[in-house]
Amino acid sequence: QFVPPFTEDCRSHMYPPNGPTFRGAVAWYTVDLDLPPSKRWNTLIADKKTDLVTMIQAIRDLADAFVPSGRLVELVDVTLPLMANTLPDPFSEEIKGIAAVSGIPLGEVVLFNIFYEVFTV
Amino acid sequence: CTSIVAEDDKGNLLHGRNLDFGLFMGWDVKNKSWIISEKLKPLVVNLDFKRNNQTVFKSTNFAGYVGMLTGIKPHTFTLTMNERFSLDGGYIGILEWILGQRDGMWMSFLTRSVLENANSYEEAKTRLATTKLLAPAYFILGGNQTGQGCIITRSRTLSIDLLEIDLKLNRWYVLETNYDHWEQPLFLDDRRTPAMKCMNQVTQKNISLKTMYDILSTKPVLNKLTTYTTLMQVSTGNLESYIRDCPNPCMPW
């Protein structure tokens, strides 16, 4: 239990969530699918803008750590907006709406949304 | 990630998952945590997707991410996806896409489309198993009738395997981490064995969302990459999520 992989005895009575393994509850938001795709995420992104900018900055810092010249981030900001137009709707319009509301460069919002495929690299 | 679909002894289907992400993306030595995992936690939200003011499906998401990793179509099916590593990976799919070959789907857009448009477990299973992808993945799907729980192991182009709940074989749950179920997991990253040990210890008689949460709270199933835990019950349409921490000592993955 105190050596890697720190396998514990099966836990019990952890529910309702409490204690050091529980950081907090999760807020609910409604996404109205009757709205135009570019407007659907406005309420959520307005609330979470600061956290989203912070997270994107952490990925940017990571990219700069790999390529200190900043060229990698530049590449993302220049090429991925072109990728946005190739994505199927409604995703392309929804991603553009998120970039508009958050003020984050479109290429970086695209990168966040295709990260699963990119990360396999 | 760890995803579990279980059928209790009354025929209820329960679906739980830990979303682990941020591996190798910067380690905070001082706080003994992954930088990206910590930045993702404040972005975790539960979403209720509505049309004509009626719930179409619900999900747990990272704000800003329009695809789906965890979701429920109330009273119909539940769906989670876990990352699958393969040399024939996403970078090939991206290259094909850039070169204009665009017959594949981005993984999280497929899961979003299935949650939004599929109207049964069987329909969801077929779409997840047959749609060409840009990257390999595991889809873990729960239905609303006895025996409806499965792991779909996907390459980019093929459905490699389908493992389903089979009560006659006393397989009352299916559990997926990030390794093909017919292979041994990497010995450095075996979260499957402890999770299965705890499931077998709980037994089908006592499995519930509560005891499933206990299992998802047991190290190393809970680890430094775990951002949230989600519990879903298709018969009630219930989805609940919790942001997690893993106090030291705790495995980095």
Side-chain angles (χ1 to χ4, degrees):
Chain A
Q1 187 139 341
F2 292 96
V3 295
F6 308 116
T7 302
E8 292 178 311
D9 295 333
C10 299
R11 305 301 305 269
S12 60
H13 303 105
M14 298 291 283
Y15 192 96
N18 63 84
T21 67
F22 171 57
R23 177 176 295 191
V26 176
W28 277 95
Y29 290 84
T30 293
V31 177
D32 183 350
L33 294 170
D34 293 318
L35 286 176
S38 58
K39 299 276 186 282
R40 288 171 180 169
W41 299 91
N42 287 9
T43 308
L44 169 58
I45 297 305
D47 271 12
K48 291 289 184 178
K49 176 176 174 174
T50 307
D51 294 319
L52 187 53
V53 168
T54 303
M55 204 281 302
I56 296 283
Q57 183 57 48
I59 292 183
R60 213 191 258 140
D61 295 345
L62 186 71
D64 287 343
F66 279 104
V67 181
S69 66
R71 300 282 294 159
L72 187 52
V73 175
E74 217 173 283
L75 184 71
V76 165
D77 289 343
V78 168
T79 59
L80 287 192
L82 307 173
M83 172 86 82
N85 294 316
T86 70
L87 299 179
D89 262 332
F91 309 112
S92 173
E93 287 308 308
E94 290 187 5
I95 288 171
K96 288 175 186 170
I98 289 168
V101 172
S102 63
I104 296 170
L106 176 57
E108 294 170 29
V109 180
V110 171
L111 177 65
F112 183 46
N113 276 276
I114 65 172
F115 211 82
Y116 179 78
E117 282 78 7
V118 170
F119 189 62
T120 64
V121 176
Chain B
C1 296
T2 302
S3 288
I4 308 169
V5 178
E7 180 170 340
D8 71 11
D9 59 357
K10 300 175 192 66
N12 288 307
L13 282 150
L14 309 166
H15 195 147
R17 79 104 96 244
N18 277 352
L19 191 294
D20 303 353
F21 192 76
L23 185 61
F24 304 143
M25 294 175 67
W27 176 256
D28 179 338
V29 178
K30 178 165 156 281
N31 296 307
K32 291 195 175 73
S33 62
W34 294 104
I35 292 169
I36 296 298
S37 307
E38 292 306 304
K39 301 292 187 199
L40 284 171
K41 289 178 184 179
L43 292 172
V44 177
V45 290
N46 287 329
L47 300 176
D48 186 348
F49 285 79
K50 293 192 171 190
R51 186 169 279 127
N52 302 323
N53 216 25
Q54 296 294 310
T55 293
V56 177
F57 68 98
K58 297 189 272 192
S59 74
T60 304
N61 264 54
F62 296 118
Y65 191 78
V66 303
M68 297 297 132
L69 305 173
T70 306
I72 182 172
K73 190 139 195 166
H75 317 296
T76 309
F77 63 85
T78 53
L79 173 57
T80 58
M81 69 76 45
N82 287 10
E83 183 154 21
R84 181 168 187 259
F85 302 100
S86 161
L87 282 178
D88 179 13
Y91 55 97
I92 296 176
I94 293 174
L95 272 178
E96 284 181 357
W97 187 275
I98 290 170
L99 297 174
Q101 185 183 331
R102 294 176 187 155
D103 56 344
M105 268 197 93
W106 300 83
M107 180 284 302
S108 68
F109 297 164
L110 172 60
T111 48
R112 161 85 182 267
S113 173
V114 165
L115 278 161
E116 199 166 327
N117 304 304
N119 292 301
S120 72
Y121 168 81
E122 290 302 332
E123 183 186 346
K125 185 165 73 166
T126 301
R127 287 197 59 190
L128 293 165
T130 59
T131 305
K132 184 179 176 187
L133 293 168
L134 268 67
Y138 299 105
F139 295 118
I140 301 90
L141 183 67
N144 58 10
Q145 293 166 46
T146 180
Q148 289 190 336
C150 68
I151 299 168
I152 303 167
T153 301
R154 281 297 312 267
S155 70
R156 292 193 313 109
T157 52
L158 301 172
S159 175
I160 297 177
D161 183 83
L162 177 73
L163 178 72
E164 284 202 292
I165 283 175
D166 187 334
L167 298 183
K168 293 190 295 299
L169 300 177
N170 194 30
R171 188 189 303 142
W172 55 276
Y173 68 89
V174 287
L175 187 148
E176 177 56 57
T177 56
N178 297 97
Y179 298 93
D180 294 346
H181 68 81
W182 58 92
E183 307 274 5
Q184 277 307 310
L186 185 67
F187 74 96
L188 277 173
D189 181 25
D190 183 4
R191 286 164 281 117
R192 179 201 294 168
T193 304
M196 289 182 71
K197 186 190 90 176
C198 294
M199 286 295 287
N200 297 333
Q201 193 169 295
V202 160
T203 74
Q204 185 182 19
K205 183 171 175 299
N206 297 313
I207 194 68
S208 65
L209 292 185
K210 291 180 169 49
T211 52
M212 197 174 266
Y213 185 82
D214 290 340
I215 292 158
L216 294 168
S217 301
T218 301
K219 298 173 190 172
V221 180
L222 179 74
N223 55 73
K224 289 289 185 184
L225 288 169
T226 307
T227 54
Y228 67 81
T229 297
T230 292
L231 304 169
M232 298 182 277
Q233 182 163 348
V234 72
S235 55
T236 60
N238 178 38
L239 174 147
E240 52 191 81
S241 304
Y242 305 96
I243 299 171
R244 306 308 304 266
D245 275 329
C246 191
N248 298 316
C250 175
M251 274 300 272
W253 54 73

